[in-house]
C-alpha cells in the first residue's frame, strides 16, 4: 500500500489548489495550525489524518510524519511585507523543524514551497518592465544565486539553503519550487509581472504531483505556467520532474478575461 504524504499548510491557497487537483491521487495527512473546514478536506481523509499544529512544534511534526513517504511543505507566512519576527519563526524555524523531523522519521523526500521573492532583485530598473514582456528573452533558471526582494524572500531563500544542507548531510531528496503568482481561474488582472509568473491551479497541482513521483536529488525549479511572457525558465522542471504545464497567461486579456481569438 502507498505510504502517506504529509501536506503542511493544507488549508491555504496553494494547499487547496493541490488538494482540489490531486486530492484523490495520494494518501494524505494534512497539517495546519488552523482547523480545516470540512469542504477543504478531500474524501477519504479521515480525522486521524488531520493535524492541527504549528510547524515549529517538533513533537507534533514527528507524530504527523511517522510512516510518511514524502512531505509537501507549504506552511508559513506568505506575506511579502511580513516582519522579520514572523518569517524567522514561521518560515525559517518552521522549515528547519520540518527537515529535522523528516530526517528523524526516515522520510524520503520533501517538496518545499519557495518563492519568486527569493530572486526578486534580479528585476532591476534596467531590466523592467521589458523583462515581463513576450519579446524579452532574459531567463532565470534556478542556478542563479538568490537575490531576495524582501525579508520574506530572505526566509524563502533560507529554506532552500536548509534543503540543500539536509540533502547533502542526510541524503533526503529535496525539490524547492520557486512559486510565481498562484491565482484561480484567470491570471492576475492588469499586472504584467503577475502574468509573467502566473501559476494556474491545475498546473500547480500537476507540478506538485510530479514533485511526489519523479526521481531527483536536490533541485530548484520555477513554478509557473507556460506563459509567453515568462522570465523564469521551466526547462529544468520539464526535464527533471516531467512537468507539462497546460496554461498560459497569453490565453487571457490583460484584464484577465479568456481571449476568444486563441
Ligand atoms: N500563493 C502564492 O502565489 C505563493 C505562495 N508561496 C508559498 O507557498 C506557501 C503557501 O502559501 P499560500 O497558500 O499562498 O499561503 P496561505 O496563507 O494561503 O496558506 C498558508 C497556510 O499555512 C498555515 N500556516 C502558516 N503558518 C503556520 C505555522 N507556523 N504552522 C502551521 N501552519 C501554518 C496557515 O494557517 C495557512 O493555512 C508559503 O510558504 C508561501 O511562501 C510562494 C510563492 C507564491
Ligand atoms: O511569494 C509570494 O509571491 C506571490 C506573488 O508576488 P507579488 O509580489 O506579485 O504579489 C504573492 O502573491 C504571494 O502572497 C507570496 O507568498
Amino acid at each position: 500500500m502507498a505510504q502517506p504524504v504529509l501536506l503542511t499548510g493544507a488549508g491555504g491557497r496553494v494547499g487547496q489548489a493541490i488538494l482540489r487537483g490531486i486530492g484523490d491521487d495520494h494518501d494524505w495527512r494534512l497539517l495546519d495550525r488552523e482547523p480545516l473546514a470540512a469542504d477543504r478536506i478531500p474524501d477519504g481523509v479521515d480525522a486521524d489524518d488531520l493535524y492541527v499544529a504549528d510547524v515549529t512544534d517538533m513533537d507534533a511534526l514527528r507524530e504527523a510524519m511517522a510512516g510518511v513517504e514524502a512531505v509537501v511543505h507549504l506552511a508559513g507566512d506568505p506575506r511579502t511585507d511580513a516582519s522579520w519576527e514572523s518569517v524567522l519563526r514561521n518560515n525559517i524555524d518552521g522549515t528547519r523543524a520540518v527537515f529535522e523531523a523528516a530526517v528523524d522519521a526516515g522520510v524520503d523526500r520533501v517538496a518545499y514551497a519557495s518563492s519568486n521573492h527569493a530572486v526578486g532583485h534580479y528585476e532591476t530598473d534596467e531590466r523592467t518592465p521589458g523583462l515581463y514582456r513576450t519579446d524579452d528573452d532574459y531567463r532565470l533558471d534556478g542556478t542563479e544565486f538568490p537575490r531576495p526582494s524582501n525579508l520574506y524572500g530572505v526566509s524563502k531563500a533560507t529554506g532552500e539553503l536548509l534543503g540543500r544542507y539536509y540533502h547533502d548531510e542526510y541524503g533526503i531528496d529535496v525539490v524547492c519550487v520557486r512559486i510565481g503568482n498562484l491565482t484561480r481561474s484567470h491570471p492576475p488582472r492588469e499586472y504584467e509581472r503577475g502574468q509573467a509568473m502566473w501559476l494556474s491551479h491545475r498546473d500547480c497541482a500537476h507540478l506538485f504531483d510530479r514533485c511526489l513521483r519523479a526521481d531527483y536529488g536536490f533541485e530548484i525549479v520555477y513554478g509557473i505556467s507556460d506563459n509567453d511572457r515568462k522570465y523564469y525558465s521551466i526547462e529544468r522542471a520539464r526535464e527533471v520532474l516531467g512537468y507539462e504545464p497546460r496554461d498560459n497567461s497569453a490565453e487571457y486579456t490583460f484584464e484577465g478575461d479568456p481571449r476568444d481569438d486563441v
Side-chain angles (χ1 to χ4, degrees):
M1 207 175 89
Q3 284 177 273
V5 176
L6 177 67
L7 179 66
T8 75
R13 293 170 293 180
V14 179
Q16 288 297 298
I18 293 172
L19 291 176
R20 277 193 287 263
I22 59 169
D24 294 338
D25 300 350
H26 298 274
D27 181 5
W28 296 101
R29 285 188 195 169
L30 307 180
L31 183 148
D32 202 293
R33 67 181 175 191
E34 302 295 336
L36 267 61
D39 64 356
R40 295 189 166 227
I41 304 168
D43 292 343
V45 176
D46 59 34
D48 292 349
D49 299 317
L50 302 177
Y51 295 82
V52 180
D54 197 286
V55 282
T56 58
D57 180 343
M58 281 298 292
D59 290 339
L61 284 177
R62 285 201 188 94
E63 192 186 327
M65 283 191 206
V68 156
E69 180 177 30
V71 176
V72 177
H73 175 43
L74 311 175
D77 188 338
R79 295 171 302 161
T80 56
D81 61 352
S83 69
W84 179 244
E85 289 70 26
S86 179
V87 297
L88 183 60
R89 173 184 161 73
N90 294 297
N91 299 6
I92 297 179
D93 282 347
T95 299
R96 188 207 65 88
V98 165
F99 279 117
E100 193 71 30
V103 167
D104 287 355
V107 170
D108 293 333
R109 66 175 68 197
V110 175
Y112 163 68
S114 185
S115 168
N116 63 89
H117 284 282
V119 288
H121 266 306
Y122 282 96
E123 297 166 44
T124 58
D125 289 346
E126 293 72 33
R127 289 187 181 126
T128 57
L131 188 64
Y132 309 136
R133 297 183 179 158
T134 306
D135 56 4
D136 192 301
D137 58 9
Y138 183 86
R139 295 284 183 276
L140 299 175
D141 66 6
T143 60
E144 59 280 328
F145 198 75
R147 289 180 66 179
S149 3
N150 39 49
L151 293 174
Y152 161 73
V154 171
S155 76
K156 293 278 108 179
T158 304
E160 295 178 357
L161 265 185
L162 284 164
R164 180 81 242 185
Y165 166 69
Y166 279 92
H167 168 72
D168 286 338
E169 185 69 16
Y170 299 103
I172 191 166
D173 295 338
V174 176
V175 58
C176 304
V177 181
R178 288 179 177 163
I179 300 171
N181 193 322
L182 180 87
T183 57
R184 198 174 182 182
S185 309
H186 57 78
R189 295 186 194 276
E190 301 185 23
Y191 179 26
E192 284 191 285
R193 178 174 189 269
Q195 292 175 7
M197 62 168 71
W198 182 45
L199 179 63
S200 72
H201 274 216
R202 69 174 168 180
D203 286 343
C204 177
H206 162 65
L207 176 54
F208 278 94
D209 191 51
R210 295 311 309 159
C211 291
L212 291 170
R213 296 181 193 274
D215 293 324
Y216 49 82
F218 176 84
E219 293 291 334
I220 295 174
V221 299
Y222 284 96
I224 62 168
S225 290
D226 192 11
N227 308 313
D228 287 359
R229 288 179 180 272
K230 72 177 80 63
Y231 59 97
Y232 299 146
S233 170
I234 53 175
E235 290 314 303
R236 191 72 186 161
R238 286 187 192 277
E239 196 181 309
V240 174
L241 303 178
Y243 176 50
E244 294 178 2
R246 292 160 68 189
D247 291 308
N248 179 348
S249 58
E251 291 167 359
Y252 297 78
T253 64
F254 188 57
E255 291 73 29
D257 301 313
R259 295 171 65 105
D260 47 21
D261 56 345
V262 289

